């Protein structure tokens, strides 16, 4: 009896240890997880190259310090095959001159903007103070568009294109006649006032497009190679409401030599 009395506490103790071990083994164990990386891996990006190509003139930017009305490169009656002298006089001396005056007036209150070119202002309209943004868009665009317009016409113009621009037109549109047809249709379909353009788009391709009012294609990243003004003040004295006739006759004064130069310049950075 004494031997049984001594062993019994030891048995109870060992039984307790065994029970506790069994219970602990049945508990769910937490598995250590790898630490999560909460820092995003930086993505390597290349900043887009700013387009700084001159637009109105191929050798320099169009200055806004202050903007100046450029002289016509020919006499008022030089383009009679398409545009009469009185229209040219009013178009250049009144309409274009007014865009220049209004642009200078808008920039008076922001002298720091006068150090920028007209092209730079139009390429970054969101960077122009809101209170003059519309004035810069309309009048800066009108100044730029008309400066191009005078240069791409000539009394010796007309005929079919030659050189590289002729090859590109044929490759893109199939033929000059098809290109001319699409260009005239785009000009005729422009409701109200605006322009019809041949541009090099951001993908480097030739494209026919049109813009309302005095908007410039450069605000959309395109380079204007040639454009025709379809505001009524460009043709109404001679053609009245016959815009289609004006569009057809305009090809008689197109300066393909200048357009070739502009097409070549447009390929840079495209």
């Amino acid at each position: 009896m004494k031997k049984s009395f001594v062993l019994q506490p030891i048995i109870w103790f060992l039984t307790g240890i065994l029970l506790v071990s069994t219970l602990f083994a049945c508990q769910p164990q937490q598995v250590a997880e790898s630490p999560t990386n909460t820092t995003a891996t930086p993505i390597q990006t290349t900043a887009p190259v700013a387009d700084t190509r001159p637009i109105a003139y191929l050798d320099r930017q169009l200055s806004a310090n202050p903007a100046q009305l450029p002289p016509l490169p020919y006499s008022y009656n030089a383009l009679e095959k398409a545009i009469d002298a009185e229209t040219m006089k009013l178009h250049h001396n009144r309409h274009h001159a007014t865009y220049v005056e209004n642009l200078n007036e808008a920039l008076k209150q922001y002298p720091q903007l006068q150090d920028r070119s007209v092209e730079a202002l139009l390429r970054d309209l969101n960077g122009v103070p809101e209170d003059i943004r519309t004035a810069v868009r309309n009048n800066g665009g009108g100044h730029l568009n008309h400066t191009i317009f005078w240069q791409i016409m000539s009394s010796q113009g007309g005929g079919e294109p030659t050189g590289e621009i002729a090859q590109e037109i044929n490759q893109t549109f199939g033929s000059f006649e098809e290109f001319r047809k699409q260009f005239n249709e785009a000009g005729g379909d422009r409701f109200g006032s605006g322009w019809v353009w041949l541009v090099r788009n951001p993908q480097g391709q030739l494209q026919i497009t049109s813009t309302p009012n005095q908007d410039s294609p450069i605000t959309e990243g395109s380079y204007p190679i040639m454009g025709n003004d379809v505001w009524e003040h460009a043709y109404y004295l001679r053609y009245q409401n016959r815009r289609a006739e004006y569009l057809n006759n305009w090809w008689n004064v197109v300066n393909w030599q200048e357009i070739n130069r502009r097409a070549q310049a447009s390929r840079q950075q495209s």
Side-chain angles (χ1 to χ4, degrees):
M1 292 294 294
K2 289 182 180 181
K3 183 177 181 180
S4 175
F5 180 81
V6 172
L7 291 175
Q8 191 170 12
I10 295 174
I11 294 172
W12 290 345
F13 176 76
L14 293 175
T15 301
I17 291 175
L18 181 61
L19 179 62
V20 170
S21 298
T22 302
L23 291 173
F24 180 80
C26 292
Q27 296 298 313
Q29 301 298 306
Q30 292 185 345
V31 179
E33 297 181 356
S34 301
T36 302
N37 183 6
T38 58
T39 303
T41 303
I43 300 174
Q44 298 295 326
T45 59
T46 303
V49 178
D51 190 347
T52 59
R53 289 171 292 179
I55 299 295
Y57 301 108
L58 302 184
D59 59 343
R60 65 190 186 279
Q61 299 283 337
L62 189 62
S63 174
N65 186 28
Q68 296 182 355
L69 179 68
L72 285 177
Y74 32 70
S75 62
Y76 294 124
N77 64 355
L79 308 179
E80 285 281 0
K81 289 185 289 185
I83 307 171
D84 60 279
E86 187 63 22
T87 293
M88 288 297 300
K89 187 181 298 184
L90 290 171
H91 199 169
H92 177 265
N93 295 359
R94 301 286 182 85
H95 291 279
H96 190 173
T98 299
Y99 296 130
V100 172
E101 292 169 6
N102 290 344
L103 176 62
N104 287 332
E105 186 65 28
L107 295 177
K108 273 184 179 179
Q109 54 190 309
Y110 294 98
Q112 71 276 16
L113 294 182
Q114 297 176 18
D115 294 332
R116 305 181 68 187
S117 67
V118 175
E119 291 98 329
L121 291 171
L122 293 173
R123 283 181 172 126
D124 183 27
L125 280 171
N126 288 334
V128 175
E130 188 173 359
D131 60 323
I132 65 166
R133 190 175 300 159
T134 299
V136 169
R137 176 179 181 174
N138 291 339
N139 296 287
H143 182 27
L144 178 68
N145 294 344
H146 283 88
T147 302
I148 297 170
F149 189 53
W150 310 135
Q151 296 177 69
I152 63 168
M153 296 186 293
S154 168
S155 59
Q156 287 79 44
E160 295 195 7
T162 58
E164 292 184 3
I165 188 61
Q167 296 174 18
E168 274 202 276
I169 285 174
N170 289 335
Q171 290 170 359
T172 305
F173 302 100
S175 68
F176 171 65
E177 283 306 315
E178 180 62 25
F179 161 67
R180 176 173 160 162
K181 175 186 174 184
Q182 292 184 28
F183 192 91
N184 284 353
E185 287 176 350
D189 290 343
R190 167 48 59 189
F191 182 79
S193 302
W195 291 74
V196 55
W197 302 96
L198 173 68
V199 303
R200 191 174 303 283
N201 63 26
Q203 292 74 43
Q205 304 164 330
L206 293 187
Q207 180 181 351
I208 294 171
T209 186
S210 69
T211 56
N213 304 316
Q214 291 297 346
D215 285 1
S216 169
I218 70 172
T219 61
E220 301 296 331
S222 294
Y223 191 105
I225 296 172
M226 61 179 284
N228 193 1
D229 188 346
V230 295
W231 283 65
E232 287 188 343
H233 65 237
Y235 62 86
Y236 201 81
L237 291 183
R238 179 169 172 178
Y239 299 96
Q240 286 81 50
N241 64 331
R242 304 188 305 275
R243 183 190 288 184
E245 185 180 345
Y246 160 70
L247 288 167
N248 280 325
N249 285 347
W250 180 75
W251 296 98
N252 293 320
V253 296
V254 171
N255 184 350
W256 289 112
Q257 182 178 354
E258 180 64 20
I259 291 169
N260 251 313
R261 293 177 63 227
R262 295 186 61 80
Q264 183 177 8
S266 73
R267 296 184 188 100
Q268 302 170 13
Q269 297 183 10
S270 65

